[in-house]
Structure formats: C-alpha cells, structure tokens
Amino acid sequence: MSRPTRPDRKAEPPSPRDRILEAAARLICEKGYDAASIKDIADATGLTKAGLYHHIRSKESLLLEIQHYGMDVFEEKVLSQVVSIADPLERLKVCMEKNVLLVTHGWSKEVTIILHEHATLTGEARSQINARKKRYVRFLESSFAEAVRAGTIRPVNPKVAAFAFLGMVLWIYKWFRADGPISAEQLAREMQDLFFGGLEIKPLSAGAPRKGRRT
Amino acid sequence: MSRPTRPDRKAEPPSPRDRILEAAARLICEKGYDAASIKDIADATGLTKAGLYHHIRSKESLLLEIQHYGMDVFEEKVLSQVVSIADPLERLKVCMEKNVLLVTHGWSKEVTIILHEHATLTGEARSQINARKKRYVRFLESSFAEAVRAGTIRPVNPKVAAFAFLGMVLWIYKWFRADGPISAEQLAREMQDLFFGGLEIKPLSAGAPRKGRRT
C-alpha cells in the first residue's frame, strides 16, 4: 500500500477532506457525474469554488480521490485486519465478516456506488483504482488456493470462489437497510454460514456440530 | 407477467426493436445517459431521429424500455423455465444455472448494467421496474423458505439467502469474460456447488457422494 495509512475512523471524526469526498460522492450519485458542476459540488460541501479548488485539481481528480478514499477505508478496515491471520480459512471468514460490516455501516453508500459502478475514470486514473481492486481479488484467490492445499476446504476454482465471495458481499449495498429487520452482525454471521458451510470438509472425528451451524 | 411473451431468442434473430434497445444500451453505457443525445442514439441504431421516434416517445421512455426488455428476457430465459419445478431445492438449483447462463451469454452486458446500475428512472417508471425485480426476490425467498420447511436445506434467513444468491450471480457481469479460462457451464456448476454445498442436509443413509460434489 503506497498511500499513507489513515487513522481509525471510529476513533476520531472524519477529516475535512473526507467530509468533502463523502458530500461530493452523494451529489454525484444524486445528479449524475456529467450533470454535477464544480459549483454544485462546492455548494454541497459548504465551500466556495476557490475553496474546493484548494483541495482538488479538477472534477476528474475528485472522482479519482473518492475512489482512492473508498479503497483506503476498505484496506484499513478489512484487508489490513486480516492479512496476518495464519490459517487461510480463518483469514477468509474474518475477512468476510469485516467486509460485510464495512458495507453495512462502515462508510457512505455513495462512496461504494462510485467505487463499483462508475466507469467514468479513464487512462492512468482508472488503472490505479483497478490495480487496488485486483490486489483484493488476488488476496482472496490465493487464500482460497492455500485453504484447498491445507485440506480445510474442498477443491474449488479460486477465481470463482473469490468473485462469488465478492458478489455476495458487495451486492449488500444494493438491498440492505440499516433500519431493517436484519442486523449487520446477523447478516455477517448468516453469510459466513451460507458461504463456508459448503466449503469446509468436516473432520471425521468431530462429534459436535461446528461453530456457527444452526442445525 | 402482464407483458406479451417474446419468442425464444436463440431460435430466431432479434427483432428490429430489440436491436435498437441493445444498441441504445451500448451507447448509454459508453457516453453516459445525460451525455447521450437522441441524435447520438439514432446514429448508433442506424436510424434517423424521426425513425427512432417511431419506436420511442422520449429518452426516458427508451431507458424504461431497455429495462423492461432486460426483465422480459430474464423472465423468459430464467423464471418461466423454473417456476413449475415442484421440488424447491431443485427449482433453486436450476434457477441459478439458468441465471448464470443468461448473465454470461444470454444478452448484452450493457442491458444488464442499465438494469442494475442505472438509477436515472424516476416515479412510475422506476416503480414498474422495481416491482418486476421484487417479483424475482419474492420467488427466491419463498423457494428458500419452502426448502427449509421441506427439510432439504438447513434453516437460513430466506431474505439473506435470496440476496446472497443474487449477488453471487449478478456480480458475474462485472468480471466474467466469455473468452477467459472458465466456461459459462463450468461457472454455473461451480457456483451451484459453492452455494448449495453448504445448504443441503445430507441424508444420513446416503453412502455415495452427492451429484456435483468433487471430493
């Protein structure tokens, strides 16, 4: 990770820069990227145009910054929390839990939308973000492959498993409501059970039901 | 389903209307909805503006028609193929297979993107499409609930299971390449194994490995 590490967002209020990026993300999702002018964005962030230009160079650089911000938070809240877990199956399970919690209440939904649905970036900017996303895919793939080699999950195609994991987790922003009947913690548990219940090879000697199973 | 049933798309070439909708979808994805003018869309479909207006009333009605078209194809290729399967677990498995095949090579990727990422529709148009999407979610939820009652899958929250299924399957358009190393059929099989492997309660009397498991 070549970018500076950010302080924990739960421990301290968001920086002015983060607040600008979140407000800009909301406006871009609401109006559309083409329709949102720099003036609109300045208004939404409570700045003058000159004040906004103190933080960003252009509308495209703002879009890039929003996506880097989304990846920064993701890497801080998910990836960096799990990379050092030695057991690959445990690493993947905790990773799913952390990622579900991030998508459900970790940062603004609009940042997530811009990270996963906006194809407006081009050239070098696009490559930068794609490289950061690919790092996560590679991490998942190599963890699945490692767990297969360790014999703790049955043979799966690591690429299919990685994208199935990602699809299940990232689709959450499209349907989950924090004030709905399912809590974020319950969702994380249910998804772990759904996903890993089918992957684990149960040790033949174990008589007790596995942790997390409800039958 | 209140709209007229369409003929099978593999059996005959797409209608002029379908070709217009697919070409318009590609252009809207490429340029963005706001930036794509009616003139651009007419050019992309090989029509004059007047010719295009013979088929559609306005740019917004075109966006709505693209989404209805996407739902029509989905209902024809997936939902209508599986609703009559009596066993809920079998129904869900075949449904996943059909949906994976549709997302991988059933219709244009741009229609999928417009169906799942475009929030530009408002009011009544938006409600129409959301109602059709919700019908699929309800179908999945009730099938999961039915399978739990039948004792063929372990207890799951039907809503979480339905959206986990959808996320896994619909995320495919974001990463799958038809010319990549994984075939669409292999992907469908791997996803069924991944998803249902963890749901099925194995009958205690069964000595042979289940169909589709590779251990």
Side-chain angles (χ1 to χ4, degrees):
Chain A
M1 297 169 213
S2 56
R3 296 167 61 86
T5 313
R6 284 155 176 272
D8 187 273
R9 263 166 201 76
K10 275 213 168 146
E12 53 182 78
S15 72
R17 183 178 184 77
D18 293 353
R19 269 189 285 113
I20 291 170
L21 295 176
E22 298 213 3
R26 276 194 294 279
L27 189 84
I28 289 171
C29 283
E30 196 188 307
K31 290 199 82 163
Y33 177 75
D34 289 324
S37 70
I38 283 285
K39 173 74 170 62
D40 295 331
I41 295 167
D43 289 348
T45 54
L47 293 170
T48 60
K49 269 175 71 169
L52 181 61
Y53 276 120
H54 178 71
H55 293 275
I56 56 142
R57 282 195 321 275
S58 64
K59 205 165 86 170
E60 192 176 30
S61 80
L62 176 67
L63 192 62
L64 176 62
E65 279 311 301
I66 293 170
Q67 300 207 6
H68 271 307
Y69 167 65
M71 289 305 301
D72 285 344
V73 179
F74 162 75
E75 290 183 354
E76 175 201 322
K77 298 284 189 190
V78 182
L79 208 49
S80 74
Q81 307 286 321
V82 302
V83 279
S84 61
I85 299 174
D87 177 64
L89 179 57
E90 181 65 14
R91 191 190 310 141
L92 286 162
K93 284 185 175 181
V94 180
C95 184
M96 178 174 275
E97 182 196 358
K98 301 272 181 203
N99 206 344
V100 170
L101 295 178
L102 178 67
V103 175
T104 47
H105 56 210
W107 90 91
S108 92
K109 181 176 165 164
E110 291 81 6
V111 172
T112 314
I113 291 173
I114 288 180
L115 196 48
H116 295 294
E117 300 188 1
H118 261 261
T120 315
L121 287 178
T122 53
E124 169 57 21
R126 186 180 188 133
S127 303
Q128 278 179 33
I129 297 300
N130 281 349
R132 294 187 77 178
K133 288 182 176 175
K134 266 185 195 152
R135 207 179 306 158
Y136 188 33
V137 176
R138 299 278 171 276
F139 163 79
L140 291 174
E141 284 178 346
S142 65
S143 296
F144 281 113
E146 199 182 332
V148 169
R149 284 196 302 275
T152 51
I153 64 172
R154 64 189 174 77
V156 284
N157 181 309
K159 183 169 180 164
V160 174
F163 281 110
F165 175 116
L166 280 175
M168 205 184 243
V169 170
L170 295 175
W171 203 255
I172 291 172
Y173 74 81
K174 294 190 179 274
W175 64 272
F176 184 79
R177 299 290 166 267
D179 57 357
I182 302 165
S183 74
E185 290 69 22
Q186 187 191 348
L187 180 65
R189 224 162 32 237
E190 294 253 7
M191 286 218 161
Q192 280 179 320
D193 282 359
L194 257 175
F195 195 84
F196 293 100
L199 282 172
E200 279 183 75
I201 295 166
K202 290 127 207 121
L204 289 172
S205 58
R210 273 182 310 121
K211 180 173 154 266
R213 299 302 288 262
R214 288 148 304 169
T215 44
Chain B
M1 297 168 209
S2 57
R3 297 168 60 86
T5 314
R6 282 152 178 275
D8 188 273
R9 264 168 199 73
K10 277 214 169 148
E12 52 181 81
S15 71
R17 187 179 180 76
D18 293 355
R19 270 188 285 116
I20 291 170
L21 296 175
E22 297 212 5
R26 275 194 295 278
L27 189 83
I28 289 171
C29 282
E30 197 187 306
K31 287 198 85 164
Y33 177 74
D34 289 323
S37 70
I38 283 285
K39 173 74 170 64
D40 294 334
I41 295 167
D43 288 349
T45 55
L47 294 168
T48 59
K49 267 174 74 169
L52 182 61
Y53 275 121
H54 178 71
H55 293 276
I56 57 141
R57 282 196 321 276
S58 65
K59 203 164 88 170
E60 194 177 29
S61 79
L62 176 67
L63 193 61
L64 176 61
E65 281 309 303
I66 293 170
Q67 299 206 9
H68 273 306
Y69 166 65
M71 290 304 302
D72 286 343
V73 178
F74 162 74
E75 290 183 354
E76 173 201 324
K77 298 284 191 190
V78 182
L79 209 49
S80 73
Q81 307 285 324
V82 301
V83 280
S84 61
I85 299 174
D87 177 65
L89 179 57
E90 181 64 14
R91 191 189 308 142
L92 286 162
K93 284 185 174 179
V94 180
C95 185
M96 178 173 276
E97 183 196 358
K98 301 273 183 203
N99 207 343
V100 170
L101 296 179
L102 178 66
V103 175
T104 45
H105 55 208
W107 90 89
S108 90
K109 182 175 165 166
E110 290 81 7
V111 172
T112 314
I113 292 173
I114 288 181
L115 196 50
H116 295 294
E117 300 187 1
H118 261 259
T120 315
L121 288 179
T122 53
E124 168 57 21
R126 188 181 186 130
S127 304
Q128 279 180 31
I129 297 299
N130 282 348
R132 295 188 77 178
K133 287 181 176 175
K134 266 186 195 149
R135 206 177 307 157
Y136 188 34
V137 176
R138 299 279 171 276
F139 163 79
L140 292 174
E141 284 178 347
S142 65
S143 296
F144 281 113
E146 200 182 331
V148 169
R149 285 197 302 276
T152 50
I153 64 171
R154 63 191 176 77
V156 284
N157 181 308
K159 184 171 178 163
V160 174
F163 280 110
F165 175 117
L166 280 174
M168 204 184 245
V169 170
L170 295 175
W171 203 257
I172 291 172
Y173 73 81
K174 293 188 179 277
W175 64 274
F176 183 78
R177 297 292 167 266
D179 57 356
I182 302 165
S183 74
E185 291 68 24
Q186 187 192 348
L187 179 65
R189 223 161 34 236
E190 295 253 7
M191 286 218 161
Q192 280 179 320
D193 282 358
L194 258 175
F195 195 82
F196 293 100
L199 284 171
E200 279 183 76
I201 295 167
K202 289 127 208 114
L204 289 173
S205 58
R210 274 181 309 120
K211 182 175 153 262
R213 299 302 288 265
R214 287 147 306 168
T215 46

